[in-house]
């Protein structure tokens, strides 16, 4: 594992606990933390006597497939399935979901040609190296929401990543030349890309691409802008809070700085860096002070393309994000989940096109519901069991209650440092966490303004 950019990467000689902890940092988040830990612990224990294979696994996962790696094998069971935490599944699928594609279907994997123990080869041992498999579009998946930027057949690979030749050497040019990309909403929620289509969590110290605002070899390059309206001068503004109190001025990030760092240091803020350490608050408690000490290197926010946003966690502690994009990708209701982003992870948290579609749909729904409600209140839509249209009016009230503030929430990200909130924590609201930020995305707000000009909606009025 020479030339490794992660200086603290473990080897097969390290304790199982250290190896598991390192591999947990690269998981994609589709499974619960408990399940992921059990699955990784089980695999590491099975490989402890096969040091070369364990080293291959560590190399593959911690470099996101950038380094060639050997097969990583476990014994095939009688029915071919592996049981983890009371659940059974095909082993190569379990680990591909953990480290590459959280929303993977079991029929979507195809092994690379140099894999000697692929699941489909029916050997006594099964290779579970996630980078020995590629994802293909399954004929059973509804493709209506997808756009393949190519005339290739539907069985074509979803995304060309590092395309390996037979000897297992990464062929960068193949990935760069690829024009077949999946631009619909089934792409993995926790499968971030790094330059040249390398999937998985980013290495701890990746080569940065300054000014890489409109990626050339990326699905964004093939999409026309959503709006011809000029981009705003500032791509986002960031407000810092302690509990429910904003501390300091709102920090605006110019569009000339697509990558901004929010950290806990005391240097002066400006341009592409917002330092929270130098902000004072007379009401700051000891608990808040302790939490602030752990912000450290904080996070990087990166604006890609017309307005997609990615987060890189630079802190030694996880950050927690409220993101409608991640909610949707995880199959959760909007605002229903809080997403934990581990140290060193690099993950997409906002998709401008999805947000635009959502605001159009909600505005249209609110407009139609308000009109139907008005008609129902007037008694023009009698329904079964209704009296003067009262029942239908009440059933429509929720949809008609969508206001401008609801649509604005689609354009905002919230992120807490160190401490989480939600169903799994004693803190139910982000306003109960010691230090957090709210990020207003200006391009999205600009698009919302356009939507509201074409589909004006009134602020919801209470029913009499």
């Amino acid at each position: 594992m020479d030339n490794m950019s992660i200086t603290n990467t473990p080897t097969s000689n390290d304790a199982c606990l250290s190896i598991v902890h390192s591999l947990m940092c690269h998981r994609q988040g589709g499974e619960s933390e408990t399940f992921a830990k059990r699955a990784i612990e089980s695999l590491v224990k099975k490989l402890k006597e096969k040091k070369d294979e364990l080293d291959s696994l560590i190399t593959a996962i911690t470099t996101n497939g950038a380094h060639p790696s050997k097969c990583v094998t476990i014994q095939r069971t009688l029915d071919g399935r592996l049981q983890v935490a009371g659940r059974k599944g095909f082993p190569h699928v379990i680990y591909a979901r953990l480290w590459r594609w959280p929303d993977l279907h079991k029929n979507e994997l195809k092994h690379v040609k140099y894999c000697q123990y692929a699941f489909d080869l029916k050997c006594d041992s099964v290779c579970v190296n996630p980078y020995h498999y590629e994802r293909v579009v399954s004929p059973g998946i509804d493709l209506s929401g997808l756009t393949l930027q190519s005339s290739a057949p539907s069985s074509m690979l979803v995304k060309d990543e590092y395309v390996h030749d037979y000897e297992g050497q990464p062929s960068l040019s193949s990935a760069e030349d690829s024009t077949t990309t999946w631009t619909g909403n089934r792409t993995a929620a926790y499968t971030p890309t790094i330059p040249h289509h390398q999937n998985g969590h980013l290495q701890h110290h990746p080569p940065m691409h300054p000014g890489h605002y409109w990626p050339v070899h990326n699905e964004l390059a093939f999409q026309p802008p959503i709006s011809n309206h000029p981009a705003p001068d500032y791509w986002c503004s960031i407000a810092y809070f302690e509990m429910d109190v904003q501390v300091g001025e709102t920090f605006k990030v110019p569009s000339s700085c697509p990558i901004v760092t929010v950290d806990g240091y005391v240097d002066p803020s400006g341009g592409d860096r917002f330092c929270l350490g130098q902000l004072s608050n007379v009401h700051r408690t000891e608990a808040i002070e302790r939490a602030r000490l752990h912000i450290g290197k904080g996070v990087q926010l990166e604006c890609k393309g017309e307005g997609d946003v990615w987060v890189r966690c630079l802190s030694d502690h996880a950050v927690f994000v409220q993101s409608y994009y991640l909610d949707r990708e995880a199959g959760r209701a909007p605002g229903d989940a809080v997403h934990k982003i581990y140290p060193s992870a690099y993950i997409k948290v906002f998709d401008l096109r999805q947000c635009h579609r959502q605001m159009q749909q909600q505005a249209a729904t609110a407009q139609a519901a308000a009109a139907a409600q008005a008609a129902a209140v007037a008694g023009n839509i009698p329904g079964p069991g209704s009296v003067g249209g009262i029942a239908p009016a009440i059933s429509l009230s929720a949809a008609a209650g969508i206001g401008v503030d609801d649509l604005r929430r689609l354009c905002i990200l919230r992120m807490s440092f160190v401490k989480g909130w939600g169903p799994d924590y004693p803190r139910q609201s982000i306003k109960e966490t010691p230090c957090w930020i709210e990020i207003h995305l200006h391009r999205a707000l600009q698009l919302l303004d356009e939507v509201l000009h074409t589909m004006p909606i009134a602020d919801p009025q209470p029913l009499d």
Side-chain angles (χ1 to χ4, degrees), residues 94 176 213 221 226 258 260 266 301-302 308 322 330 371 402 414 451:
I94 288 173
E176 286 185 329
Y213 195 53
I226 297 170
V260 60
V266 295
L301 306 171
E302 181 173 0
D308 292 356
Q322 189 176 59
I402 297 172
R414 285 176 159 186
V451 167

Side-chain angles (χ1 to χ4, degrees), residues 265-283:
Y265 300 126
V266 295
D267 301 320
S269 297
D272 62 353
R273 190 172 173 206
F274 185 19
C275 296
L276 306 178
Q278 43 90 24
L279 298 176
S280 59
N281 175 12
V282 294
H283 302 294

Side-chain angles (χ1 to χ4, degrees), residues 357-411:
R357 281 194 299 271
Q358 212 168 341
M359 62 177 70
Q360 284 180 315
Q361 289 166 1
Q362 287 196 18
T365 300
Q367 205 177 35
Q373 186 186 51
V377 169
N380 295 337
I381 313 179
S386 68
V387 180
I390 292 171
I394 293 169
S395 66
L396 287 164
S397 63
I402 297 172
V404 175
D405 283 348
D406 298 289
L407 297 178
R408 281 181 61 84
R409 284 192 198 103
L410 300 175
C411 311

Side-chain angles (χ1 to χ4, degrees), residues 195-235:
H196 309 305
H197 294 285
Q198 184 181 332
N199 261 13
H201 282 317
L202 197 64
Q203 296 176 28
H204 291 213
H205 305 287
M208 297 302 294
H209 286 231
H212 207 122
Y213 195 53
W214 291 91
V216 177
H217 303 296
N218 186 293
E219 56 264 34
L220 298 172
F222 302 101
Q223 295 180 339
I226 297 170
S227 167
N228 292 323
H229 199 283
D233 293 335
Y234 298 92
W235 71 265

Side-chain angles (χ1 to χ4, degrees), residues 237-251 262 274 276 279-281 283-284 288-289 291-292 295 412-417 419 429-440:
S237 54
I238 306 169
Y240 169 65
F241 293 82
E242 291 175 1
M243 307 295 274
D244 58 352
V245 176
Q246 181 174 348
V247 178
E249 299 292 319
T250 298
F251 183 80
V262 183
F274 185 19
L276 306 178
L279 298 176
S280 59
N281 175 12
H283 302 294
R284 185 171 294 153
I288 293 173
E289 196 66 77
R292 279 167 52 83
I295 296 173
I412 295 170
L413 295 168
R414 285 176 159 186
M415 181 186 304
S416 70
F417 296 96
K419 300 292 184 182
S429 161
I430 195 170
K431 292 182 179 181
E432 296 170 41
T433 62
C435 38
W436 58 281
I437 54 175
E438 185 171 85
I439 304 141
H440 289 241

Side-chain angles (χ1 to χ4, degrees), residues 6-68:
I6 307 173
T7 54
N8 59 345
T9 301
T11 70
S12 57
N13 294 320
D14 286 302
C16 284
L17 196 63
S18 302
I19 298 170
V20 170
H21 178 75
S22 176
L23 296 178
M24 278 288 285
C25 291
H26 294 265
R27 71 189 186 95
Q28 298 298 304
E31 298 286 2
S32 71
E33 189 169 351
T34 304
F35 179 86
K37 192 173 182 185
R38 291 278 288 276
I40 295 171
E41 280 175 347
S42 168
L43 180 57
V44 169
K45 285 174 183 173
K46 287 186 173 88
L47 298 174
K48 211 47 179 145
E49 301 305 314
K50 299 189 282 187
K51 290 186 180 296
D52 58 333
E53 292 190 24
L54 182 51
D55 280 327
S56 277
L57 176 71
I58 294 167
T59 299
I61 302 308
T62 58
T63 69
N64 310 300
H67 290 234

Side-chain angles (χ1 to χ4, degrees), residues 163-174:
V163 182
H164 303 266
D165 61 21
Y166 188 73
E167 288 75 31
Q169 298 299 320
S171 168
L172 190 56
S173 59
S174 302

